[in-house]
Amino acid sequence: SIIKESSHEMYCILLNSKELASSVDSEIEYWMEKGIYQYVTTYDTAVSTTFGQKSNPVPSIVIIDNHAIVPPHIFGQLSQSKEGFKKLSLHVPKLLNMLKSPDQSIDEKRAALFALGHFGSAPNGVTPEIVQIMIDSALNEDSYVLVGTLIESLSLIERTPKIMEVLNRNKFVLFA
């Protein structure tokens, strides 16, 4: 489709419709191979745009009051449906392995953090243990960019009492 060719981030919003349900598996495969990495670039472009840097238009970057909103991600969109959540759950172990592996680049770890953060926006998307792995992986690297990505990713996660315990134990302060 034209939307898919133009922007996988925008296309993932449509995947919850019954007409596109047959496309879900191939789109998840695309995201796990390329899309989660491309998302890091899209997110960085959105942030740069917010701070006044000119860039080529990106369909998934929406500007409101001179601020780019967080671009859509398949792990945030598809996880809102029962079937989508189930399919994406199968990929969480790979994302956790990416965070734990010393062989992964900072951008690869950022890709995993964004995916897990978006997945965590769904009820029960991430467990306290997953949140702890996210925190440990970012804080054990010498990268402020990775820590910034962690903070953004944590802000997307549904705040349950158990998730809040992990955040408080790690000295994260949340403002309402």
Side-chain angles (χ1 to χ4, degrees), residues 10-11 22 26 37 44 71 87 92 95 139 143 147 168 171:
M10 294 304 289
Y11 182 68
S22 63
S26 63
Y37 308 108
D44 289 346
K87 288 177 181 279
V92 170
L95 296 170
L139 297 183
S143 171
V147 173
N168 290 331
K171 301 193 180 2

Side-chain angles (χ1 to χ4, degrees), residues 143-157:
S143 171
Y144 291 120
V145 172
L146 191 61
V147 173
T149 302
L150 169 67
I151 292 168
E152 175 64 31
S153 299
L154 292 176
S155 75
L156 300 170
I157 294 173

Side-chain angles (χ1 to χ4, degrees), residues 128 131-132 160-171:
V131 172
Q132 188 63 58
T160 65
K162 291 198 181 277
I163 297 294
M164 292 301 294
E165 282 179 31
V166 173
L167 296 176
N168 290 331
R169 187 172 55 246
N170 286 278
K171 301 193 180 2

Side-chain angles (χ1 to χ4, degrees), residues 40-50 53 55-56 58 61 68:
V40 173
T41 302
T42 301
Y43 179 85
D44 289 346
T45 302
V47 170
S48 295
T49 302
T50 295
Q53 289 186 355
S55 66
N56 292 330
V58 177
I61 297 176

